[in-house]
Amino acid sequence: MPKPAPKPAPPAPPAENLGPYWFQVKYGRSETQLFNSDCLAILLADHIKRQCGYAHLTEDIDLQREDKSMVGLLGKPGEEGVEQRRASSLLASKGMYYLCKLILPEEGGSSAPVPELLFEDDPAEPESTEK
């Protein structure tokens, strides 16, 4: 009895965004950390908040691109599918971002949260003139 022909191997997954997945976040007084965007965006936002020392903040955080636009890790209010969105679909490989907290507007204000940077350039130390 002849042996059945072997089944062909399944097709390889599409080569979409195969990395690298790391990116940089600037925060505090000229501090920088590397993060991996190969995860859910909502989990990454919480991880960044804790790793950068802002776990005590009651406000949500987000990342600001160098062109001043916001990434939107947590999506917009009422947006569907946010819980399953991959951070790698929002963040550029090897990109640089600035950490922001999202300030909710006061009653009667605009409905969108206002970003406030959590990053300060560290001014150069002045030279001592004492002898």
Side-chain angles (χ1 to χ4, degrees):
M1 190 181 265
K3 292 184 181 179
K7 293 182 180 181
E16 297 174 12
N17 197 5
L18 294 178
Y21 292 106
W22 64 266
F23 65 97
Q24 297 180 61
V25 173
K26 287 188 172 187
Y27 66 98
R29 294 194 53 96
S30 297
E31 296 182 64
T32 304
Q33 277 202 46
L34 290 176
F35 291 94
N36 183 345
S37 66
D38 189 23
C39 62
L40 296 175
I42 198 164
L43 296 177
L44 180 62
D46 185 56
H47 180 67
I48 291 171
K49 192 174 184 178
R50 285 184 284 113
Q51 287 298 113
C52 294
Y54 293 101
H56 65 280
L57 289 180
T58 57
E59 298 91 353
D60 288 331
I61 59 102
D62 199 359
L63 299 175
Q64 187 179 67
R65 296 178 184 96
E66 291 184 290
D67 69 0
K68 308 284 189 243
S69 64
M70 299 305 293
V71 170
L73 288 174
L74 302 176
K76 296 176 182 156
E79 186 178 356
E80 292 188 24
V82 173
E83 298 83 16
Q84 298 304 313
R85 185 171 35 202
R86 308 280 309 163
S88 57
S89 70
L90 301 170
L91 300 164
S93 173
K94 302 179 187 177
M96 174 69 70
Y97 299 90
Y98 298 91
L99 187 60
C100 294
K101 66 179 176 179
L102 299 176
I103 308 295
L104 293 175
E106 294 182 22
E107 294 290 325
S110 70
S111 59
V114 178
E116 181 181 302
L117 279 176
L118 295 172
F119 173 77
E120 300 174 36
D121 281 324
D122 197 11
E125 292 289 324
E127 289 185 29
S128 176
T129 57
E130 294 180 26
K131 291 187 178 181

